[in-house]
Amino acid sequence: MPVTLKTIAQKTGFSITTVSRALGGYDDVAESTRQLILETAQALGYQPNAAAQRLKRLRANTIGLIIPTFGPRFSDPFFSELLAGIGNQSAERQFDLLVGTQAPGPNEIDAYRRMESGRVDGLIVVRTRQNDVRIYHLQETGMPFVAFGRCDEAQDFPYVDVDGEVGMQKMVQHLVDLGHRRIGYIAPPPELNFSQHRIAGYATALKMNGIPYDAALVIYGDLTQQSGAAGAVYLLGIDPPLTAILAGNDTMALGAMSTVRERGFVVGKDIAVGGFDDVPDAEYAHPPLTTLRQPIYDIGRQTCDMLINIIQGIPLSEIQVLLEPELIIRKSTG
Amino acid sequence: MPVTLKTIAQKTGFSITTVSRALGGYDDVAESTRQLILETAQALGYQPNAAAQRLKRLRANTIGLIIPTFGPRFSDPFFSELLAGIGNQSAERQFDLLVGTQAPGPNEIDAYRRMESGRVDGLIVVRTRQNDVRIYHLQETGMPFVAFGRCDEAQDFPYVDVDGEVGMQKMVQHLVDLGHRRIGYIAPPPELNFSQHRIAGYATALKMNGIPYDAALVIYGDLTQQSGAAGAVYLLGIDPPLTAILAGNDTMALGAMSTVRERGFVVGKDIAVGGFDDVPDAEYAHPPLTTLRQPIYDIGRQTCDMLINIIQGIPLSEIQVLLEPELIIRKSTG
DNA sequence: TTGAAAGCGCTAACAC
DNA sequence: GTGTTAGCGCTTTCAA
């Protein structure tokens, strides 16, 4: 039998109302009464019933996160760190975190609607896509949300993002400075919004260095090691041969490195390889991977903080945050 | 203004009760009435208020998972896959998933108590420890739970675990068969329950092959690449030199490989390295890592399924599930 | 300083 | 087949 306000009321002889007020910290309760009630609550291990509070306040004090899983082997070092950031921050602000998994597709919005029905007060949207139906849906319903990532077709919403265009420019420039002119690119899925920016940065940097953009040097992957490895197979087959391979995330870069080695090339010597994210494995790869660091844990915290501010009506200092990724140069680019 | 039963009742002219029954699928509603109500609900996009249902039923239809994060760089490929399994299965069974983050320590139980107060109907406990306070607490309160991992001091609870002892025996035997006799081991933190089993398997297999167990060849890490790298520094300094290094998880094994290479040794030739988990990176490491596969996604699904069965009073076919890890032999052991 | 009463949205026992 | 009523645990007027 759970301990409720009623239990404490009976035990202390006060009414439920008074107990509620004492525990709620109202100042119209006699000090002695408050003491007694607090002690009793403590002794009984009272915890307010969340469902009742939610129903009464019509507020869940909960934020939601729907992870766009793509399949059983969903093993993204990126997400666990983002989740840690979001989770820690929401705990700090006394909010619960409801997590769902739902692959992109026709019934994706159902998962959102479900969460919106009294379960959460706001949502974090991750991995924004081009023409992202989730953004449109949330803008329509008016449910508070903050996105990790922009959406080029819908500008007017709060987000935190990393400037992939500037990032890729730094990376390409780094390679060009080392003398590379034939640089392949394993791009993230084009429907992901950040994919556009990264490829734009790649193209722009080439152009700025007088190197024509060649679509044949670009192949798309699905962010997994496996697709990075496959992409590298294609890129290494190009003639005249490339001297460098970039990937749109570290995981694909690690896959690509595996292929490069298998073909008997030395990464960082025969072929330079670069990634994006700076996951922990990047530093311990062979050779250590040159990449662009995203402060993913902090992004999680900040996204969460912005969302709770919106929910609580606290004005945001910045509605749209664009962070610049840091180029981390390691041995994989020689 | 959210759509409630009242909205539909007013729109259709029926009472709230009838609307509730029609939507609830009760058969004591006229077919024509049901049609009208269903259509109206559909048209208005009605979603039942979760808080109200929970309060009424005194059931949250939610399970909880508290992730024992250890810090900001919490980037465990293992967890995202486990989470995907749990998330997909709970969605399938129409349960919500509430996720918390809470490092082990004095106020760990507060996080559990919070979840237990009307927020969840049951909990999944991950990374069981020796004398795990979470297990004791849950046994005391009677809150349904299923653990991923055993707890040697408290036998009587439902869990899914992987047999680390048998796994490590396979691994060591594999190395001995290749001629190795001096095998170092970077163990997971001893307070983690699975650490005990893995080290026991390591010791047993050595003994079975007439090799004395030498505590000097064992060093503890914290599951990160960094600690694996540091552990290997120690192990490589031992004289007479080791010919093989095992690690209690893949992440540490990858860190160890990095050190081995840095010292100018060739992994799989000069020094064999083995891990545990079979995370995706293992296959794409250089060289690909020999390891023990845990079906982590399925473990997530199964754990979740067992928990919901308990909550719903469905008898479990097996209360304690022990899976045997599969030895995946790759180039890192030559 | 305290208590009675209403009501958040939903379900279910009990009329009719 | 349908409606009335009560109540889940909590907060918040309003009275006393």
Side-chain angles (χ1 to χ4, degrees):
Chain A
M1 222 31 212
V3 179
T4 70
L5 288 184
K6 200 171 163 192
T7 321
I8 302 176
Q10 284 167 345
K11 202 97 172 178
T12 58
F14 288 98
S15 71
I16 292 180
T17 313
T18 301
V19 173
S20 171
R21 272 191 297 231
L23 294 171
Y26 286 74
D27 57 359
D28 56 352
V29 180
E31 198 42 41
S32 60
T33 310
R34 148 171 290 111
Q35 282 303 331
L36 175 60
I37 290 175
L38 285 180
E39 276 165 27
T40 317
Q42 179 79 36
L44 296 175
Y46 171 74
Q47 288 278 44
N49 180 293
Q53 287 185 321
R54 283 167 193 181
L55 179 56
K56 180 67 201 174
R57 300 187 179 139
L58 295 180
R59 276 287 215 76
N61 259 261
T62 303
I63 60 170
L65 169 68
I66 295 180
I67 301 176
T69 47
F70 289 88
R73 206 76 218 245
F74 176 75
S75 179
D76 197 322
F78 209 65
F79 266 106
S80 54
E81 207 166 331
L82 183 73
L83 188 66
I86 295 173
N88 286 345
Q89 188 62 23
S90 67
E92 201 158 291
R93 299 204 50 180
Q94 313 253 53
F95 266 67
D96 290 335
L97 173 63
L98 198 60
V99 171
T101 55
Q102 173 66 56
N107 25 26
E108 187 173 17
I109 296 304
D110 293 349
Y112 279 81
R113 262 198 272 270
R114 185 181 155 89
M115 281 224 177
E116 290 157 19
S117 53
R119 287 171 164 82
V120 304
D121 306 316
L123 285 154
I124 290 178
V125 175
V126 296
R127 249 190 208 164
T128 48
R129 307 192 283 269
Q130 293 196 280
N131 272 311
D132 200 314
V133 289
R134 301 170 299 174
I135 305 275
Y136 296 145
H137 168 75
L138 289 166
Q139 286 187 319
E140 223 168 79
T141 63
M143 168 70 50
F145 74 101
V146 176
F148 172 24
R150 283 163 284 175
C151 177
D152 292 337
E153 296 81 13
Q155 306 283 356
D156 196 24
F157 62 89
Y159 62 73
V160 178
D161 201 3
V162 162
D163 194 333
E165 183 158 3
V166 163
M168 283 298 287
Q169 285 184 31
K170 288 184 185 177
M171 177 66 84
V172 170
Q173 193 60 52
H174 164 63
L175 290 175
V176 170
D177 291 346
L178 291 169
H180 295 276
R181 314 241 344 142
R182 291 190 57 74
I183 303 168
Y185 180 44
I186 305 171
E191 65 270 22
L192 296 182
N193 197 76
F194 69 73
S195 186
Q196 305 301 318
H197 298 132
R198 296 190 190 171
I199 205 167
Y202 164 81
T204 305
L206 290 178
K207 206 169 302 172
M208 279 167 47
N209 286 281
I211 305 170
Y213 170 86
D214 181 355
L217 305 195
V218 175
I219 184 167
Y220 287 88
D222 66 2
L223 300 176
T224 64
Q225 289 96 340
Q226 199 247 312
S227 77
V233 167
Y234 164 77
L235 292 176
L236 290 178
I238 291 176
D239 192 71
L242 308 178
T243 63
I245 293 178
L246 295 179
N249 73 339
D250 283 353
T251 307
M252 291 198 293
L254 295 174
M257 278 172 49
S258 156
T259 296
V260 170
R261 285 186 306 252
E262 253 173 31
R263 296 300 171 94
F265 297 113
V266 175
V267 175
K269 205 160 154 255
D270 305 322
I271 305 271
V273 175
F276 203 118
D277 286 349
D278 195 29
V279 299
D281 277 326
E283 188 178 346
Y284 294 92
H286 178 64
L289 180 67
T290 293
T291 188
L292 290 152
R293 177 176 297 161
Q294 303 202 51
I296 183 69
Y297 177 82
D298 290 330
I299 289 172
R301 287 187 76 103
Q302 194 169 358
T303 313
C304 175
D305 225 31
M306 285 169 68
L307 178 57
I308 295 177
N309 282 342
I310 294 173
I311 291 169
Q312 298 187 331
I314 301 169
L316 301 183
S317 50
E318 269 184 298
I319 294 177
Q320 304 183 325
V321 178
L322 193 57
L323 304 170
E324 193 165 308
E326 183 191 355
L327 179 64
I328 308 288
I329 298 175
R330 299 204 182 94
K331 298 256 173 68
S332 74
T333 50
Chain B
M1 221 32 209
V3 180
T4 69
L5 288 185
K6 199 170 161 193
T7 322
I8 302 177
Q10 285 168 342
K11 203 98 174 177
T12 59
F14 288 97
S15 71
I16 291 178
T17 312
T18 301
V19 173
S20 170
R21 274 190 296 232
L23 294 171
Y26 286 75
D27 57 359
D28 57 351
V29 180
E31 197 43 40
S32 60
T33 310
R34 148 171 289 111
Q35 282 304 331
L36 175 60
I37 290 175
L38 286 180
E39 277 165 27
T40 316
Q42 179 78 39
L44 295 175
Y46 171 74
Q47 288 277 46
N49 180 292
Q53 287 185 320
R54 283 168 193 181
L55 179 57
K56 179 67 200 172
R57 301 202 244 248
L58 295 181
R59 277 286 215 76
N61 259 261
T62 303
I63 60 170
L65 170 68
I66 295 180
I67 302 176
T69 46
F70 290 87
R73 205 77 220 244
F74 176 75
S75 178
D76 197 322
F78 209 66
F79 266 106
S80 55
E81 207 167 334
L82 184 73
L83 188 66
I86 295 172
N88 286 345
Q89 189 61 23
S90 66
E92 201 160 289
R93 300 205 49 182
Q94 314 253 51
F95 267 67
D96 289 336
L97 174 62
L98 198 60
V99 172
T101 56
Q102 173 66 55
N107 26 24
E108 188 173 17
I109 296 305
D110 293 348
Y112 280 82
R113 262 198 271 271
R114 184 181 157 89
M115 281 222 177
E116 289 157 19
S117 53
R119 287 171 163 83
V120 304
D121 305 315
L123 285 154
I124 291 178
V125 175
V126 296
R127 251 190 206 163
T128 48
R129 306 192 283 269
Q130 293 197 281
N131 273 311
D132 200 314
V133 288
R134 303 170 296 173
I135 306 274
Y136 296 145
H137 168 74
L138 289 166
Q139 287 186 320
E140 223 167 80
T141 63
M143 169 70 50
F145 74 100
V146 176
F148 172 24
R150 283 162 284 176
C151 178
D152 292 338
E153 296 82 13
Q155 305 284 356
D156 196 26
F157 62 88
Y159 62 73
V160 179
D161 201 3
V162 162
D163 194 332
E165 183 159 5
V166 163
M168 283 299 285
Q169 285 184 31
K170 288 185 185 177
M171 177 66 83
V172 169
Q173 192 61 53
H174 164 63
L175 290 175
V176 170
D177 290 346
L178 291 169
H180 295 276
R181 315 242 341 142
R182 291 191 57 74
I183 303 169
Y185 179 44
I186 305 171
E191 65 270 22
L192 296 183
N193 198 76
F194 69 73
S195 186
Q196 305 301 318
H197 299 131
R198 296 189 190 171
I199 205 167
Y202 164 80
T204 305
L206 289 178
K207 205 170 301 171
M208 280 167 46
N209 286 280
I211 305 170
Y213 171 86
D214 180 355
L217 305 195
V218 175
I219 185 167
Y220 287 88
D222 66 2
L223 300 176
T224 65
Q225 289 96 340
Q226 199 247 312
S227 76
V233 167
Y234 164 76
L235 292 175
L236 290 178
I238 291 176
D239 190 70
L242 307 179
T243 63
I245 293 177
L246 295 180
N249 74 339
D250 283 353
T251 307
M252 291 197 293
L254 295 174
M257 279 174 47
S258 155
T259 297
V260 170
R261 285 186 307 252
E262 254 173 32
R263 296 300 170 95
F265 298 112
V266 175
V267 175
K269 203 157 157 261
D270 305 322
I271 304 271
V273 175
F276 203 118
D277 285 349
D278 196 28
V279 300
D281 278 325
E283 187 178 346
Y284 294 92
H286 178 63
L289 180 66
T290 294
T291 188
L292 291 152
R293 178 175 298 162
Q294 302 202 52
I296 184 67
Y297 177 81
D298 290 330
I299 290 172
R301 287 187 78 102
Q302 194 169 358
T303 313
C304 175
D305 224 31
M306 285 168 67
L307 177 58
I308 296 178
N309 282 343
I310 294 173
I311 291 169
Q312 299 187 330
I314 300 170
L316 301 183
S317 51
E318 271 184 298
I319 294 176
Q320 304 183 325
V321 178
L322 193 57
L323 305 170
E324 194 166 308
E326 183 190 355
L327 180 65
I328 308 289
I329 298 175
R330 299 204 182 96
K331 298 256 174 68
S332 74
T333 51

